[in-house]
Amino acid sequence: MSRRVALVGASAIPIGRHQTADDESLQVLENEIMTRLVSEAVQDAGVSKEDIQSLVFTLPRPYTRQKYFHTFLVGQLRLACRGSVMEVMGNGMTAALAFDKACDEILLGRAEVALALGINMESAVSAAEHMMSSMRTTGDVDFHTSAGFTPIAWYAMDAMRYMHETGATREQLGAVAVKNRHHASLNPLAQYRKPITLEEVLAQRPIVEPLGLYDVPPRGDGAACLVLASEDVAKSLGRPYVLVRGRGFHHDGSHQINDVPNDMIAFDAAARASRAAYAHAGITPADLDLAELYAPCTIVEVLVTEALGLIPRGHGAHAAAEGETRLGGRIPVSTSGGLTSRGHPAYVTSLYNYVELAGQLRGRAGERQVKGARLGISTGELGNYNAALVHVLEAIA
Amino acid sequence: MTLLSLVPASGRRAYPPRLSAFTQPFWAGLAQGRWQTTCCDACGRQTFPPRPICPHCWSDQVRWSPLSSRGNLYSWTRIHAAPAVFAPEAPYAVGIVDLDTGIRLACRLLDSADTTWKPGMAVEMAVLLYEDGPLFAARPLPIPSE
């Protein structure tokens, strides 16, 4: 029997505006937040400091003054390790990769307990200034950025194409934002919790047509720590845990756009990665109880639910508007509130998705608990879902 | 050879592309209206943007070849929230174009108040000639009257 990995502990700060401007007299320091989270997550897991042999951090934003944050923090924690200590980077996939590489440390036998953790601070930097950096992340910096493309512009083009092909409406996409805000209203970690109506979503100023302010992710700061352990260690702890049942990855071999025309809204990488994860877990999409997706915009959630086989192709927007993906619906999606309302501190966003699944699959999600939740799925991605990393998690009581 | 119309644009490009010894002929040609990319002699496939190593078969036997000036709009958006250097131009439209010869690319769209963009519509490529150099862009077919 090969080794398996369990998620045994989690902690996170509420997503919001934590970063201080340079001229403020009292500064918020990343290391002070992070050491507290490590302490809380390890306590939640019931493991001891000496058990931890690997730490996989998400790369901090360039605005974080302390460089080499990972090894600096290991120093703050006085944590001698024999596995690995590193920062990982994979654009929007960064936090999903941190989780995945921490799993690998355990699968390879380098550690019995590993941490996946990180902090993303950016809210004190204006959106226009931040976009000067983010515009260089999607597409070709010479051939695309010169035309003014921004990361979410590509998702907006997905929305235009989807509406053209399926007849889906602006209102149906907006229903995703309303649904996720409702979920966020029940989540203490969420950035925006005041319920909104469809009329309010449609009345927002356009950001990238046809998407308005509430269809796109807010910017925010966040930090989280996950404790992963070998299945043997997890069993020894004597409390509920979450087993990593399946994993799948696919990169479609293109960066943002393929010069050989393809179906850009099929999100083929997500389809392939999820099929690999289902096969690994020995399940079908119908077995899932909830999905916690990396979906920066309303349209992305619609397209990913289709690519994962949760909703038939072309029906995602309609299904969302009909409440199929709402708490209490057929397959609850983004019970945390998703990237549009729970928040999107980009490099740690997927950590929050695992935090949500850790809560749901250990029966600790409070008012937003999916009753009897046993199997959940998470996704991470980069580009226009040119690559996807998918994990299937299972509740073990 | 494919020649595109030159459309004068005011000011300088907000975020100009870099030139390399390899891409310089593309941008210098574009400033003259020449619309071309690399084609691989080993596998016969065109690539866009132009690349010195064929992405399909990794041969370095590539040469310049003409692109089609016409195609269809696959999708588009109008960007209202823009990075600092593009803010003076916002809102502006961008899109994805499938050229008749089978190449897909992304570019600026020549937008105007009376232009209705729609996926599937016919478009023509044109050169936006700024004071400091060219960018490629697409406009509707038939071309709206000036």
Side-chain angles (χ1 to χ4, degrees):
Chain A
M1 185 73 189
S2 59
R3 284 165 71 86
R4 297 203 290 186
V5 179
L7 174 54
V8 295
S11 64
I13 59 171
I15 296 173
R17 295 185 171 274
H18 299 286
Q19 191 187 34
T20 35
D22 284 343
D23 58 359
E24 291 184 48
S25 56
L26 284 182
Q27 295 284 308
V28 172
L29 302 186
E30 288 92 339
N31 63 295
E32 295 176 4
I33 292 174
M34 218 57 242
T35 49
R36 184 176 302 279
L37 287 179
V38 170
S39 167
E40 288 173 5
V42 166
Q43 198 169 0
D44 177 37
V47 297
S48 62
K49 176 180 172 180
E50 293 70 29
D51 298 328
I52 301 164
Q53 292 304 334
S54 292
L55 296 93
V56 184
F57 288 78
T58 58
L59 183 75
R61 288 293 198 185
Y63 320 120
T64 291
R65 185 174 296 192
Q66 178 68 53
K67 300 289 282 184
Y68 298 156
F69 186 78
H70 62 308
T71 181
F72 176 74
L73 204 80
V74 165
Q76 299 294 296
L77 296 163
R78 297 280 161 188
L79 195 53
C81 295
R82 63 168 178 271
S84 299
V85 175
M86 60 178 162
E87 287 174 4
V88 298
M89 205 292 158
N91 303 355
M93 193 184 281
T94 297
L97 278 173
F99 178 85
D100 200 56
K101 295 307 114 187
C103 288
D104 288 351
E105 291 294 303
I106 293 164
L107 294 173
L108 288 166
R110 290 176 178 156
E112 289 298 317
V113 176
L115 304 183
L117 69 170
I119 187 162
N120 179 100
M121 297 285 257
E122 61 169 74
S123 69
V125 180
S126 77
E129 208 45 55
H130 178 70
M131 272 193 281
M132 287 300 296
S133 165
S134 66
M135 73 180 187
R136 292 158 50 205
T137 62
T138 50
D140 183 312
V141 72
D142 297 306
F143 284 82
H144 296 139
T145 308
S146 56
F149 284 92
T150 61
I152 56 173
W154 298 92
Y155 299 132
M157 293 191 287
D158 291 336
M160 287 289 191
R161 186 70 198 180
Y162 184 79
M163 291 163 72
H164 171 73
E165 285 188 19
T166 68
T169 63
R170 184 67 198 82
E171 288 74 12
Q172 289 172 337
L173 294 180
V176 175
V178 176
K179 181 264 298 180
N180 283 347
R181 182 61 67 88
H182 167 63
H183 292 172
S185 75
L186 307 174
N187 182 3
L189 294 178
Q191 183 170 8
Y192 291 101
R193 303 187 59 193
K194 183 172 167 251
I196 51 175
T197 64
L198 184 57
E199 290 67 34
E200 287 172 307
V201 174
L202 300 177
Q204 296 305 307
R205 65 187 167 92
I207 301 295
V208 277
E209 294 178 39
L211 306 177
L213 185 64
Y214 288 176
D215 291 275
V216 304
R219 294 177 59 236
D221 308 315
C225 178
L226 304 171
V227 183
L228 301 169
S230 66
E231 193 174 11
D232 286 345
V233 168
K235 281 178 179 165
S236 74
L237 297 172
R239 47 182 97 180
Y241 61 89
V242 175
L243 190 67
V244 182
R245 270 281 298 270
R247 183 261 191 197
F249 173 86
H250 190 81
H251 195 304
D252 72 7
S254 68
H255 183 70
Q256 214 69 41
I257 184 170
N258 191 336
D259 66 354
V260 180
N262 62 331
D263 182 353
M264 289 183 76
I265 57 173
F267 282 9
D268 186 55
R272 289 173 186 266
S274 62
R275 293 328 182 263
Y278 298 149
H280 184 197
I283 67 163
T284 71
D287 296 321
L288 292 167
D289 298 301
L290 75 159
E292 192 61 22
L293 307 177
Y294 189 99
C297 301
T298 49
I299 178 64
V300 181
E301 183 173 304
V302 165
L303 296 178
V304 180
T305 57
E306 295 183 9
L308 263 49
L310 304 175
I311 309 280
R313 189 79 203 277
H315 293 80
H318 177 76
E322 293 294 306
E324 284 192 44
T325 56
R326 192 183 173 94
L327 270 171
R330 187 173 61 77
I331 173 72
V333 174
S334 302
T335 55
S336 65
L339 278 59
T340 52
S341 283
R342 191 270 323 277
H344 183 35
Y347 288 174
V348 298
T349 288
S350 282
L351 292 181
Y352 279 88
N353 290 357
Y354 302 114
V355 167
E356 176 68 10
L357 288 177
Q360 290 282 358
L361 297 175
R362 293 188 295 172
R364 294 198 204 166
E367 289 180 278
R368 64 185 195 289
Q369 180 66 47
V370 175
K371 287 194 181 62
R374 191 176 75 82
L375 285 169
I377 190 169
S378 68
T379 65
E381 64 118 2
L382 55 79
N384 191 44
Y385 259 88
N386 302 105
L389 179 56
V390 174
H391 293 97
V392 172
L393 305 184
E394 180 183 19
I396 307 290
Chain B
M1 187 166 70
T2 304
L3 278 177
L4 304 181
S5 304
L6 302 175
V7 180
S10 61
R12 301 172 67 84
R13 294 168 297 180
Y15 196 78
R18 297 167 301 175
L19 304 187
S20 68
F22 169 75
T23 61
Q24 200 268 344
F26 172 82
W27 295 105
L30 191 68
Q32 311 291 320
R34 196 173 305 136
W35 183 226
Q36 59 184 350
T37 192
T38 45
C39 184
C40 175
D41 273 338
C43 74
R45 302 181 79 164
Q46 265 189 335
T47 292
F48 192 87
R51 303 292 183 205
I53 300 290
C54 172
H56 300 287
C57 74
W58 298 1
S59 164
D60 64 356
Q61 301 300 303
V62 299
R63 59 184 163 79
W64 293 102
S65 68
L67 280 164
S68 169
S69 63
R70 295 188 172 198
N72 293 285
L73 190 66
Y74 179 75
S75 195
W76 73 283
T77 182
R78 191 175 285 113
I79 296 174
H80 293 256
V85 292
F86 287 100
E89 300 174 55
Y92 53 89
V94 295
I96 296 169
V97 173
D98 289 336
L99 297 179
D100 291 344
T101 41
I103 285 284
R104 173 172 289 175
L105 57 84
C107 64
R108 185 67 74 89
L109 301 180
L110 290 180
D111 205 14
S112 70
D114 57 352
T115 304
T116 304
W117 301 101
K118 192 174 164 49
M121 70 188 283
V123 294
E124 179 191 61
M125 300 303 297
V127 178
L128 277 172
L129 207 50
Y130 291 85
E131 288 168 14
D132 67 327
L135 291 177
F136 51 93
R139 58 181 173 182
L141 269 179
I143 300 155
S145 51
E146 301 285 319

